[in-house]
Amino acid sequence: MFSINQLVFKDIINVRKLEIESGKIYCLFGESGSGKSTLLKMFNSMLTPDQGKITYKDESIADLDPIQLRREVVMLGQDPIVFEGTVRDNLLIGLQFAAKEVVANQVLTELLKELHLAKDLDEEADKLSGGEQQRLAFGRVLLMDAEVYLMDEPTSALDENTETVIMDLFTKKVRNAGKTAIMVTHSKGIAEKYSDEIIYMTDILMKEGTLS
């Protein structure tokens, strides 16, 4: 799915080689400042490396249209983006960006139930709490039915019980659909419980000047 070779970004990222296979859930795990989020953003061209190459489906990301790439490789950040408008508007805007067919209200209502988000579709999204907005963002990206989900601390605004519900739901849907996910987390518990493979930043990062 992804292949990294001789990747350098400022003094943050220095990775000789890394392979990400399709159909798996990965977790980038490491201390704060270890480059987890920086690396994650390179998988859909939100950041561009200074040196090296990332390929997606055997094509260099540098050669791909970033908009089309982000329709397939969807990012959910730790600070959920809430767009102007209703809960319905916020759920559907991802489908519109991905140029996919809009789904019926019944589908949206069922998804809100799965997310334990007891809100009306016509409620203004900016009235939701931080945790509710994060669950709404989860719903938006799940509806996009992406090839790859990039998740940066996706449960940072959720309490422990809600975190379990949402992560159980998300990982079940990803696995059932045979999709790929790459998550950033500081929680060893989340990494061990939900990922197929943990990528320790201390294992893949090399000291400055060691790349050949």
Side-chain angles (χ1 to χ4, degrees), residues 175-187:
R175 289 197 168 99
N176 286 348
K179 305 296 186 178
T180 305
I182 309 172
M183 299 188 296
V184 162
T185 183
H186 66 278
S187 168

Side-chain angles (χ1 to χ4, degrees), residues 88-151:
R88 180 191 293 104
D89 295 332
N90 272 263
L91 288 172
L92 294 179
I93 197 168
L95 289 173
Q96 294 164 359
F97 169 75
K100 294 184 177 181
E101 186 176 349
V102 172
V103 299
N105 284 346
Q106 182 178 350
V107 174
L108 302 180
T109 301
E110 287 299 317
L111 179 59
L112 290 179
K113 289 180 181 178
E114 289 182 301
L115 294 167
H116 288 215
L117 191 54
K119 298 295 177 181
D120 190 273
L121 290 173
D122 293 319
E123 186 164 344
E124 291 297 317
D126 62 3
K127 299 293 195 295
L128 304 183
S129 69
E132 290 170 340
Q133 289 179 355
Q134 196 160 49
R135 278 176 279 165
L136 183 64
F138 259 102
R140 180 169 61 240
V141 299
L142 283 172
L143 282 170
M144 292 175 72
D145 191 29
E147 289 293 317
V148 183
Y149 298 93
L150 307 177
M151 322 292 286

Side-chain angles (χ1 to χ4, degrees), residues 194-206:
Y194 293 108
S195 64
D196 298 310
E197 186 171 333
I198 302 175
I199 299 172
Y200 293 93
M201 299 301 290
T202 52
D203 290 342
I204 65 170
L205 292 178
M206 304 187 69

